[in-house]
Amino acid sequence: MAFYFDQFEQRRPEPPLPYSPVLEALWQFLFVIALVLGAWYVHWRWIASLNYDALWYAIPLVIAETGAYIGLILFAFNLWKVKDYPRRPPPQFISECTRDEAAEQRPLKVDVFFPSYDEDPELVRLSVRDAKRVTYPHPIELNIYVLDDGRRPSMKQMADEEGVGYFTRSNNIGFKAGNMRNAMEQTSGDFIVICDADTRPFPTILEHTLGYFRDPDVAWVQTPQWFFDLPEGKPLPAALQRRLGRPGYWLGRGVERLIGPIRLGEDPFVNDPKMFYDLIQRRRNWANASFCCGAGSIHRRDAVMEAALKGFADEVERKSQRQLKQMQRLTGEKSADTSTAGLLRQGMAQEEELTPYRFHVSEDIYTSIVLHSDPHRKWKSVMHPEVESKMLSPQDLLSWTIQRFKYAGGTLDIAVHDNPVMRPGLSLPQRLMYLTTVWSYLGGVWNLIFLIAPLVYLFTAIAPVSAYSIDFYKHILPFLVATEIAFMAAYWGISSYKAKTNYLSFFPINLRAIWTVMRGQKIKFPTTPKDRQEGNFFHLVMPQFVMIMLTLLGLLYAWLQYLLFAADYTLNGLIVNTFWGMNNVVALSGIVLAAFWQPEPAAASTAELAAT
């Protein structure tokens, strides 16, 4: 069976960013400067710059700036330093991975889980075959299982043909977490490799990661996710030639001579996860705060089950105590006898479910929080820097939107109902790292304000500051320049502009997630499609398109009013808000264009261009 990604099978992932202590010291120094200048700017904004004639406008903007500055502090803390967990040789026996002196001298047992719901059995077959190619330098018991929540005979047939295990169940309670619980009840591996249906592990995944478990406190290892099917785009000369002929080709060549190579359609949804895994997650290792992201992770079964049993016991005790207090209020008794309390616990135990992986839309990060917060075991997590598997990226805007809403909604739901910042057992660095994740999804609020703010000035000539004066430039420009330079050093080796603009552009998704959680609604979403969805996705980017059109209309209106002397605009105010508005337009345009993106059969080759 042919797939669209067959043409990309020979691609190989980039190596992780090399560690440089000099570069690390440089970005730490630059971050300190940027944060000091930022504090100076925010203080000035609150104390000396507000337009008291328009506080309805000035106050929300300065609150948004303060929220963004707090996010900058947290993000700088996240990126502060690299401290990779020490690599150790792969263990030969399970006794090398535990403190139990009576542990058996036997080979390791590893289970590989492929949870599936509605994915094509032939797609899962590719993943299963790659898992069967996994190698290890010592004897090992490797078992592969397809966990089919779709209950499909075709999936069962595929598993039988490949000689791997197959589990299904009569219901879908707990979704993916419930699916994995069902499999854990029927397996006994020491370690569990979690894969999505399209996760295709490399042969080295166990050899490169099981050595971390020589530390008996390591609960799981997360490996970077790598999308090997990201569109490479077409060179600008080829794209323009297709539309304008030979003049378009030479126009594209001229533009590239001025600003460097440009590829249209390259990763239109900004799916490349390298920044997240190689920078954000990897730099949480020193705080023991990198969290599980599901696919491509390896788990110690004992850690997951121990945390589940403790959580089960704590929840039974909490609910039984609450019911006991209610009974005492009704009866007027000051204490309850032991038998009554025991009966209540027994009843609660029968009602409560044991959940190795939390029944939640974001079961991966939730389970990470539970394990990290265990005060007795102090479980460790490891972010392994090297890619050990390949996956498929969202191929259309609908799939991208579903995935981003899941991330945002799931994280915010956890923050509301079991906030990791306040959860007992976590260290201060761990709390701050989880707060960074939560805070980033709250950014939809201030991003909306940053998009609206220049519109207010462009249509009304009302400024949020007392004046766009030298004092304004003196405070804001050093902060902005220092921040950009600091990020250039921190991101060295990774292109960051698209990621920053993408963060601004998915403000509607963040706002929808915030609103859903605030209303107490359950985060619901279909599984992320593995095939490109057909149709017009323009309706998904209407908020961004409206913002672009309003900004362009506002710029035209404001400049005409200024040139005709028809309103109280100032040149400084127009310049500031023109740059601000155009930055917003550029940032939002990428996701709007992505709604119309169609995959190209193949990019034009250099030889074809040269022959033109």
Side-chain angles (χ1 to χ4, degrees):
M1 180 177 179
F3 291 98
Y4 75 90
F5 51 81
D6 289 345
Q7 58 184 316
F8 308 131
E9 286 290 345
Q10 300 308 312
R11 289 181 177 175
R12 294 294 178 266
E14 296 179 358
L17 293 176
Y19 171 66
S20 168
V22 174
L23 190 59
E24 181 174 90
L26 176 62
W27 82 56
Q28 290 174 349
F29 174 72
L30 293 172
F31 264 138
V32 170
I33 294 175
L35 293 177
V36 170
L37 291 173
W40 182 50
Y41 170 72
V42 172
H43 177 266
W44 173 79
R45 286 285 288 117
W46 279 101
I47 300 301
S49 75
L50 296 180
N51 182 356
Y52 287 95
D53 294 328
L55 289 179
W56 57 270
Y57 172 30
I59 292 296
L61 180 57
V62 76
I63 291 175
E65 289 179 287
T66 305
Y69 177 67
I70 293 171
L72 176 65
I73 296 173
L74 293 171
F75 198 50
F77 178 75
N78 189 151
L79 298 183
W80 189 248
K81 64 179 178 179
V82 177
K83 187 178 180 181
D84 291 330
Y85 203 88
R87 295 276 295 273
R88 300 176 68 179
Q92 182 174 359
F93 304 112
I94 187 59
S95 57
E96 300 171 44
C97 303
T98 178
R99 290 193 181 92
D100 185 2
E101 296 180 358
E104 300 177 70
Q105 286 285 102
R106 61 165 175 79
L108 278 61
K109 295 192 292 185
V110 178
D111 296 331
V112 183
F113 288 171
F114 287 100
S116 175
Y117 177 64
D118 59 0
E119 294 84 0
D120 187 337
E122 293 305 310
L123 176 68
V124 182
R125 187 192 298 272
L126 295 177
S127 302
V128 166
R129 286 180 174 176
D130 279 355
K132 290 165 66 176
R133 298 188 184 100
V134 169
T135 59
Y136 198 70
H138 308 296
I140 192 172
E141 184 180 326
L142 182 66
N143 295 298
I144 302 167
Y145 301 97
V146 175
L147 321 182
D148 181 22
D149 255 4
R151 296 175 283 279
R152 292 161 292 172
S154 58
M155 189 66 81
K156 173 68 165 64
Q157 179 182 346
M158 183 279 295
D160 291 342
E161 290 172 355
E162 294 298 328
V164 300
Y166 174 86
F167 295 132
T168 189
R169 52 186 181 145
S170 60
N171 58 61
N172 296 97
I173 293 176
F175 302 102
K176 182 178 178 181
N179 195 2
M180 291 191 292
R181 181 184 69 174
N182 178 61
M184 290 183 71
E185 291 172 348
Q186 303 175 68
T187 57
S188 60
D190 305 306
F191 303 100
I192 300 169
V193 182
I194 304 297
C195 298
D196 282 346
D198 63 322
T199 305
R200 297 170 59 183
F202 294 164
T204 56
I205 187 169
L206 297 183
E207 181 179 353
H208 289 173
T209 59
L210 290 186
Y212 294 115
F213 291 101
R214 285 179 175 272
D215 181 343
D217 293 327
V218 169
W220 78 90
V221 176
Q222 179 67 53
T223 66
Q225 296 179 1
W226 173 59
F227 300 135
F228 73 103
D229 63 336
L230 290 177
E232 294 181 308
K234 293 180 74 70
L236 181 62
L240 292 181
Q241 177 188 340
R242 186 175 178 180
R243 291 171 174 81
L244 305 176
R246 189 176 181 84
Y249 167 77
W250 289 110
L251 175 62
R253 286 289 299 272
V255 171
E256 287 193 331
R257 281 184 178 274
L258 290 175
I259 61 177
I262 301 174
R263 300 187 74 90
L264 300 182
E266 180 184 23
D267 189 13
F269 310 110
V270 196
N271 282 320
D272 188 356
K274 189 173 180 64
M275 176 179 291
F276 175 71
Y277 288 100
D278 216 346
L279 266 70
I280 297 174
Q281 278 275 65
R282 185 179 176 188
R283 294 181 188 181
R284 293 186 175 197
N285 268 336
W286 70 268
N288 186 31
S290 66
F291 57 83
C292 173
C293 301
S297 58
I298 302 92
H299 302 238
R300 185 192 296 267
R301 176 188 287 267
D302 287 350
V304 176
M305 290 304 302
E306 184 179 314
L309 289 168
K310 288 180 178 178
F312 176 82
D314 290 344
E315 194 66 14
V316 167
E317 182 64 23
R318 185 182 67 83
K319 289 184 176 180
S320 61
Q321 287 296 325
R322 185 173 60 189
Q323 190 163 344
L324 193 62
K325 289 179 181 179
Q326 291 175 349
M327 289 179 58
Q328 290 173 347
R329 281 196 295 268
L330 291 173
T331 61
E333 297 178 356
K334 293 184 178 180
S335 62
D337 60 82
T338 306
S339 60
T340 301
L343 287 172
L344 283 175
R345 290 191 184 92
Q346 184 177 354
M348 291 297 106
Q350 291 175 347
E351 294 179 8
E352 190 65 22
E353 290 193 88
L354 179 65
T355 55
Y357 294 96
R358 284 298 181 110
F359 284 8
H360 193 267
V361 65
S362 294
E363 81 288 333
D364 40 20
I365 187 173
Y366 206 162
T367 302
S368 303
I369 294 169
V370 171
L371 287 165
H372 274 148
S373 61
D374 188 329
H376 305 292
R377 290 295 284 111
K378 297 295 182 184
W379 289 110
K380 298 176 183 177
S381 60
V382 176
M383 182 64 222
H384 176 68
E386 297 172 359
V387 174
E388 300 293 348
S389 62
K390 60 184 182 182
M391 303 175 63
L392 301 178
S393 65
Q395 288 291 297
D396 56 80
L397 194 62
L398 176 60
S399 303
W400 181 90
T401 301
I402 291 171
Q403 188 181 77
R404 293 306 188 275
F405 179 70
K406 172 191 173 183
Y407 296 159
T411 302
L412 293 173
D413 185 74
I414 293 171
V416 168
H417 295 101
D418 196 358
N419 193 339
V421 179
M422 307 301 296
R423 188 183 178 93
L426 292 171
S427 66
L428 178 60
Q430 287 175 323
R431 295 177 195 274
L432 291 174
M433 292 295 190
Y434 280 117
L435 176 60
T436 302
T437 302
V438 173
W439 199 263
S440 70
Y441 289 117
L442 295 176
V445 175
W446 39 87
N447 281 340
L448 177 62
I449 296 175
F450 291 149
L451 291 168
I452 292 175
L455 297 180
V456 176
Y457 181 82
L458 293 173
F459 283 109
T460 68
I462 298 174
V465 294
S466 54
Y468 288 111
S469 60
I470 295 297
D471 205 30
F472 171 77
Y473 290 110
K474 181 179 71 175
H475 284 84
I476 193 170
L477 287 180
F479 171 48
L480 293 179
V481 171
T483 301
E484 285 303 312
I485 294 174
F487 276 119
M488 284 176 59
Y491 291 162
W492 197 263
I494 294 180
S495 175
S496 63
Y497 179 74
K498 282 188 176 181
K500 288 186 287 186
T501 58
N502 198 47
Y503 178 62
L504 179 65
S505 67
F506 65 69
F507 75 93
I509 299 174
N510 282 357
L511 292 177
R512 178 187 163 205
I514 293 170
W515 181 240
T516 301
V517 173
M518 285 179 61
R519 294 168 64 192
Q521 293 184 341
K522 189 175 182 180
I523 303 296
K524 297 179 180 179
F525 64 96
T527 56
T528 307
K530 302 304 179 186
D531 298 319
R532 176 172 172 79
Q533 304 301 294
E534 299 299 329
N536 187 317
F537 303 111
F538 181 61
H539 65 284
L540 296 175
V541 294
M542 279 301 295
Q544 294 93 330
F545 179 74
V546 169
M547 282 292 180
I548 290 174
M549 291 296 101
L550 286 175
T551 303
L552 294 176
L553 182 61
L555 288 169
L556 178 63
Y557 174 81
W559 278 103
L560 283 175
Q561 292 288 301
Y562 175 74
L563 293 175
L564 296 173
F565 304 101
D568 296 328
Y569 293 98
T570 65
L571 181 59
N572 275 340
L574 279 175
I575 291 174
V576 169
N577 285 278
T578 296
F579 276 103
W580 189 355
M582 288 308 300
N583 177 75
N584 290 344
V585 168
V586 172
L588 298 178
S589 61
I591 199 66
V592 172
L593 293 174
F596 301 97
W597 175 79
Q598 294 287 334
E600 294 285 351
S605 67
T606 305
E608 290 173 335
L609 290 176
T612 303

